[in-house]
Amino acid sequence: MSRVRVASFSISIDGFGAGPDQSLAHPLGVGGEALHGWIFPTRTLQKNLFGRDGGESGEDDKFASRGFENIGAWILGRNMFGPVRGPWPDETWRGWWGENPVYHVPVFVLSHHARKPLVMAGGTTFHFVTEGAEVALARARDAADGRDIRVGGGVQVIQQYLRRRLIDEMHIAISPILLGSGERLFDGIDLPALGYSCSQRVATPAATHVVIERN
C-alpha cells in the first residue's frame, strides 16, 4: 500500500515552516526562502527545478533525492499553488513553476473554490479538491497506483494530515536560521500522543535532517 510522506520540508530553529506575509514577491513568506538554503545547491534540485547538470552531492542531496523516489501523487495546499485568494478570478495563474513543474505526476490541491484540472507539461496535472483533506488523499491514492503520496505543504495542510495520523513518515530539515514569526509547523500538535517518534537524525553544515515516523 502506498505511504503518505512529507519530504524535504524545511523549518527554522524556532519552528517556522514559512515566513509571514506570503505574496507574489515573497512566495514563501518574508524571509522564508532562507529556510531552503540547504537544498538549492543540491544535484537533485538543480536537475528537477532548473534542468541543469551538476550541483552538490552528499547528505543534503541524498535527502533531497529520497523525497522524489517512488512518488505517484502529491497533495498541496492552495497557497503552495499560488498567491491568489478567494474565488478564482480567472484561470491565468498556472502555478509558481512555469509550464513544466517539478512534480511530473498528478497533484491534488486543497481549495475552497472549484477549478477545472490544469494539465501541464511533463506529466503534471493539478486537480483542485474542494471536499477536504481525506477526499484529496483518497483521490491521490487512486492516482498513485501503489506508489507513495507526498504531502508538500504548506504548514496547515501538513497539520491536517498529522492530526488525523495519516502521515507515515516526515523528513524535516531544520535550517540554521531564526524567523521570529510566520507559521509554526508543530504548533498545537502533540507528536508523541499521536504516536510519532524520531527514527533518524543527520547533521550537515547546512541543516539538521530529522526523520519522524508513525509507530
Side-chain angles (χ1 to χ4, degrees):
M1 185 176 179
S2 59
R3 304 179 76 223
V4 181
R5 296 160 48 197
V6 173
S8 299
F9 194 87
S10 302
I11 65 173
S12 62
I13 294 172
D14 45 352
F16 294 101
D21 303 321
Q22 186 197 38
S23 66
L24 188 60
H26 300 283
L28 303 172
V30 176
E33 187 172 338
L35 293 171
H36 306 279
W38 69 273
I39 197 171
F40 283 124
T42 64
R43 185 183 304 271
T44 296
L45 199 74
Q46 290 296 309
K47 177 182 178 182
N48 285 288
L49 188 58
F50 303 114
R52 301 171 184 162
D53 293 328
E56 298 178 3
S57 56
E59 291 296 332
D60 291 324
D61 185 58
K62 288 179 184 177
F63 277 101
S65 177
R66 193 168 85 176
F68 287 94
E69 293 172 358
N70 196 43
I71 300 298
W74 286 64
I75 296 173
L76 301 178
R78 180 167 166 177
N79 290 359
M80 293 286 289
F81 176 75
V84 182
R85 302 292 183 266
W88 300 99
D90 51 46
E91 297 189 356
T92 56
W93 180 261
R94 296 171 65 84
W96 298 107
W97 317 270
E99 290 301 306
N100 189 0
V102 299
Y103 305 106
H104 308 303
V105 294
V107 180
F108 296 87
V109 181
L110 290 165
S111 174
H112 294 297
H113 301 279
R115 178 173 170 172
K116 293 184 297 184
L118 176 59
V119 180
M120 309 291 284
T124 300
T125 298
F126 293 105
H127 302 271
F128 300 89
V129 181
T130 59
E131 299 93 343
E134 294 196 27
V135 170
L137 179 56
R139 292 183 61 186
R141 284 197 194 279
D142 288 342
D145 194 24
R147 291 183 291 167
D148 291 345
I149 298 152
R150 181 167 167 178
V151 179
V155 166
Q156 294 181 17
V157 171
I158 293 174
Q159 288 175 346
Q160 288 185 60
Y161 287 103
L162 274 178
R163 290 191 175 104
R164 293 170 168 86
R165 297 189 74 250
L166 293 172
I167 292 176
D168 298 297
E169 177 187 287
M170 291 184 291
H171 160 226
I172 305 299
I174 305 170
S175 296
I177 67 167
L178 296 167
L179 280 182
S181 63
E183 296 182 68
R184 278 198 171 96
L185 179 60
F186 297 123
D187 196 24
I189 293 179
D190 187 338
L191 288 173
L194 290 169
Y196 288 93
S197 61
C198 180
S199 61
Q200 186 180 6
R201 179 185 64 84
V202 175
T204 74
T208 298
H209 299 279
V210 175
V211 177
I212 298 168
E213 296 186 83
R214 189 181 62 193
N215 301 326

